Amino acid sequence: MMGENKNQETTAENPADVLLQQLLHLKRYEIPDTHRMVKNKQNIMRLVRESSSRKRWSLSDLIEVNIPWFFAEPRYGIAALFIVFAGLQFVGVNSQRQAAHNKMGIYTSDQGLASLDASMAASTNRFTYPKIPNNLQLFASPSGGDGTIRPVGLREQSQ
Amino acid sequence: MVGDVNLDAEDDLPEEEEDLLPEEVPEEDASPQDTELVLKAQRGDVHAFDELVERYHGKIYGLTYNMTSNREDAEDLTQEVFVKAFEALPRFQGKSSFYTWIYRIAVNKTINYRKKRNRKRALSLDQFDQEIKMDGSYHDLTSKGSPLRNISLSELQIKLNEALQNLSEKHRTVVVMHDMQGIPHEDIAKVVGASVGTVRSRLFYARRQMQAELSEFMK
């Protein structure tokens, strides 16, 4: 009963409220010009087509449109990302292992290179630099064979 | 009658105010057809989007027109809203209905548009339909006992739109959506991103302010 009374009180309409409602109701009769509306719709459709023709689909747009579940359910997206990263990790670890077993790539030798004599430096407590000839030859003239120009080592020259 | 209204005191407002237009129940727009059209449009089908334009053009125009009381601005805004919606469609995830989503775009666009143009625009109003003379409210307002009986329809239209334009953006939004477009409080709350209570209180204060604006005619 109390609820009903309260409801009656709250729905009791003030004449000013009714008048305002009637005025606002009249605004529904403001009708736009039909031709202008048709033209407006045509403009919208034209602009949409222009926008569509110059639209370049980004990767994220394509993903969103074609696999919406990826974004609709975040846990699936996170799970998929986890699997991708786990896969990448597996591939990376495998390739490292292979690289350790296979001797591939460019290996250089320090033979013939001018270098510090570490043992001498340690025993005398001073650096001993190798003797460098006055006329340092970098490459030997091709002699016989296939004519390949060969680099000349420092030790080879100093001997 | 109604004096000055303190618009900042909305949160203290009693929320039990009932709707004065109970017959204004809008149609439910979240139909499966909308969803299908949106999905097609998301895949680049512009014809599906055309169908959505046909379906919502009148409502969006009505919203922007009543928010601006200027038909040229309303036409521009309606165009901008639909183009913006088309461009943003790939990011629409369907968490809300298309109708709520496009209304939100329209409200935001209209408010931003008015903010950019600091000064108030001149009114540019649509004509009243002749059927207004058949309406019961019109008869009541022009009857002998009404305080508005001596005012011409065009004068009334101008005063009403001026009163509407003197409201703040957020108050005008709820008045237009509820009292003119018949959208329920719950849907307005979703569109404006506020609670139902806030929507009701904004509506209450907006009506109070409009009554104050129109008080000279209502005596």
Side-chain angles (χ1 to χ4, degrees):
Chain A
M1 282 299 287
M2 283 181 70
E4 283 175 16
N5 289 338
K6 190 183 173 190
N7 201 28
Q8 280 170 0
E9 280 167 22
T10 52
T11 51
E13 292 179 353
N14 180 342
D17 286 342
V18 176
L19 204 56
L20 181 66
Q21 289 302 315
Q22 287 176 329
L23 280 171
L24 290 172
H25 177 74
L26 293 187
K27 262 191 79 68
R28 295 176 182 204
Y29 287 95
E30 285 181 346
I31 303 295
D33 181 57
T34 313
H35 294 295
R36 290 176 73 116
M37 288 299 99
V38 169
K39 200 176 168 189
N40 191 244
K41 277 188 227 171
Q42 287 171 344
N43 278 341
I44 291 168
M45 290 168 186
R46 180 177 51 78
L47 289 169
V48 162
R49 275 160 182 73
E50 279 175 17
S51 169
S52 175
S53 64
R54 68 167 180 266
K55 185 174 188 178
R56 297 182 65 182
W57 289 81
S58 67
L59 183 63
S60 63
D61 286 344
L62 286 171
I63 291 172
E64 280 193 35
V65 169
N66 292 309
I67 45 170
W69 57 266
F70 189 92
F71 297 94
E73 282 290 342
R75 59 187 172 190
Y76 295 156
I78 292 166
L81 284 174
F82 177 78
I83 291 166
V84 168
F85 282 120
L88 286 171
Q89 177 76 4
F90 179 75
V91 169
V93 168
N94 253 10
S95 65
Q96 271 185 344
R97 278 187 190 157
Q98 273 194 333
H101 289 297
N102 302 343
K103 297 215 170 188
M104 293 171 69
I106 299 164
Y107 293 90
T108 55
S109 161
D110 60 353
Q111 274 187 348
L113 291 176
S115 62
L116 287 172
D117 189 336
S119 59
M120 184 66 80
S123 61
T124 58
N125 200 25
R126 44 188 302 236
F127 292 113
T128 51
Y129 294 98
K131 285 182 182 174
I132 298 170
N134 292 333
N135 186 16
L136 185 63
Q137 189 185 5
L138 294 177
F139 299 98
S141 306
S143 55
D146 56 358
T148 306
I149 296 172
R150 190 171 57 83
V152 179
L154 185 63
R155 284 190 188 156
E156 225 173 297
Q157 289 185 58
S158 57
Q159 279 167 6
Chain B
M1 259 281 301
V2 180
D4 289 341
V5 179
N6 178 10
L7 297 177
D8 297 328
E10 309 184 322
D11 294 336
D12 301 324
L13 188 88
E15 292 183 7
E16 64 270 17
E17 183 217 9
E18 290 296 320
D19 297 342
L20 296 175
L21 290 173
E23 79 280 6
E24 296 174 356
V25 179
E27 63 195 55
E28 183 53 60
D29 294 278
S31 61
Q33 288 179 343
D34 268 8
T35 316
E36 285 169 22
L37 290 171
V38 167
L39 281 172
K40 284 182 183 175
Q42 280 180 324
R43 294 193 173 98
D45 183 350
V46 286
H47 297 291
F49 194 77
D50 288 349
E51 182 61 36
L52 290 168
V53 173
E54 285 288 351
R55 208 172 274 191
Y56 291 105
H57 184 271
K59 288 178 182 172
I60 297 299
Y61 175 81
L63 176 77
T64 53
Y65 169 74
N66 286 313
M67 290 279 284
T68 57
S69 292
N70 186 301
R71 58 183 178 175
E72 287 81 15
D73 286 353
E75 285 169 6
D76 290 347
L77 277 165
T78 307
Q79 274 180 210
E80 285 180 27
V81 167
F82 279 104
V83 173
K84 168 80 180 170
F86 181 75
E87 287 172 351
L89 210 52
R91 291 190 291 282
F92 174 65
Q93 294 173 8
K95 286 178 184 168
S96 61
S97 65
F98 178 76
Y99 143 84
T100 308
W101 184 68
I102 200 163
Y103 254 81
R104 204 177 298 149
I105 294 174
V107 167
N108 291 339
K109 274 254 170 214
T110 309
I111 291 174
N112 289 337
Y113 183 84
R114 286 177 60 94
K115 274 183 188 166
K116 279 179 192 169
R117 298 171 175 232
N118 285 328
R119 65 192 173 82
K120 213 184 284 180
R121 293 266 286 170
L123 300 180
S124 167
L125 304 174
D126 285 328
Q127 296 287 318
F128 272 125
D129 191 349
Q130 288 304 308
E131 284 186 22
I132 193 172
K133 288 173 183 170
M134 310 287 282
D135 190 275
S137 296
Y138 177 78
H139 278 288
D140 289 347
L141 291 169
T142 52
S143 64
K144 280 185 179 177
S146 168
L148 300 166
R149 64 188 177 280
N150 295 323
I151 302 170
S152 70
L153 197 56
S154 59
E155 193 182 356
L156 195 62
Q157 187 187 19
I158 290 168
K159 290 291 174 193
L160 188 58
N161 278 286
E162 280 176 349
L164 197 58
Q165 294 309 309
N166 286 337
L167 296 178
S168 71
E169 302 292 347
K170 59 186 180 183
H171 290 95
R172 192 181 322 112
T173 305
V174 292
V175 168
V176 168
M177 290 179 78
H178 187 269
D179 289 347
M180 293 173 199
Q181 299 203 297
I183 299 171
H185 296 112
E186 291 75 17
D187 287 1
I188 299 173
K190 284 179 197 165
V191 170
V192 300
S195 69
V196 174
T198 306
V199 170
R200 284 176 186 272
S201 62
R202 282 182 190 174
L203 197 56
F204 179 85
Y205 279 104
R207 286 175 181 161
R208 280 288 189 87
Q209 197 189 345
M210 285 198 76
Q211 284 173 352
E213 295 269 347
L214 298 167
S215 59
E216 59 176 308
F217 298 103
M218 291 179 151
K219 282 172 188 170

